[in-house]
């Protein structure tokens, strides 16, 4: 399944509710699963982003739906990157090398 790395920043609302962040991450994992995706991990970070989430989803549409649901709650803003594992990158290189 494709992998997505999501960089998250708390909104003002998210900061005010920081004590619930672990519960919110758990709820996000459940919501993602209902859509047919999987939350692999969440990391709370120091630096320009407050959290990093790694999600596997069957396609871009499912990943986007999950992140729209997350953003719609109002606690975070997201930036999402499609990530490629080694096997995927080998196939990409093979195509490019033609």
């Amino acid at each position: 399944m494709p992998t997505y790395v999501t960089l998250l920043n708390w909104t003002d609302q998210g900061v005010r509710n920081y004590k619930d962040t672990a519960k919110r991450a758990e709820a996000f994992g459940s919501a993602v699963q209902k859509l047919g995706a999987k939350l692999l991990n969440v990391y709370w970070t120091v630096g320009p982003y407050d959290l990093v989430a790694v999600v596997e989803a069957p396609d871009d549409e499912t990943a986007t739906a999950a992140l729209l649901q997350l953003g719609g709650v109002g606690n975070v803003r997201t930036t999402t990157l499609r990530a490629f594992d080694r096997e995927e990158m080998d196939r990409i290189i093979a195509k490019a090398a033609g």
Side-chain angles (χ1 to χ4, degrees):
M1 249 194 298
T3 302
Y4 302 86
V5 176
T6 300
L7 308 171
L8 302 103
N9 279 314
W10 281 332
T11 60
D12 290 343
Q13 173 183 307
V15 171
R16 281 192 304 274
N17 298 318
Y18 73 91
K19 291 179 184 177
D20 297 330
T21 186
K23 290 178 186 174
R24 291 194 312 251
E26 189 175 310
F28 175 59
S30 295
V32 164
Q33 194 169 13
K34 289 177 185 174
L35 292 172
K38 182 177 180 182
L39 176 61
L40 298 180
N41 218 326
V42 174
Y43 301 95
W44 286 262
T45 58
V46 176
Y49 296 97
D50 299 313
L51 301 100
V52 175
V54 182
V55 175
E56 281 185 343
D59 50 48
D60 291 347
E61 291 84 3
T62 302
T64 302
L67 294 164
L68 282 171
Q69 284 182 351
L70 176 64
V73 176
N75 291 306
V76 293
R77 293 201 189 336
T78 64
T79 300
T80 302
L81 310 166
R82 169 64 167 90
F84 299 93
D85 65 19
R86 172 67 187 262
E87 185 178 297
E88 290 169 315
M89 197 62 209
D90 285 343
R91 288 194 305 264
I92 291 167
I93 291 168
K95 285 183 182 184

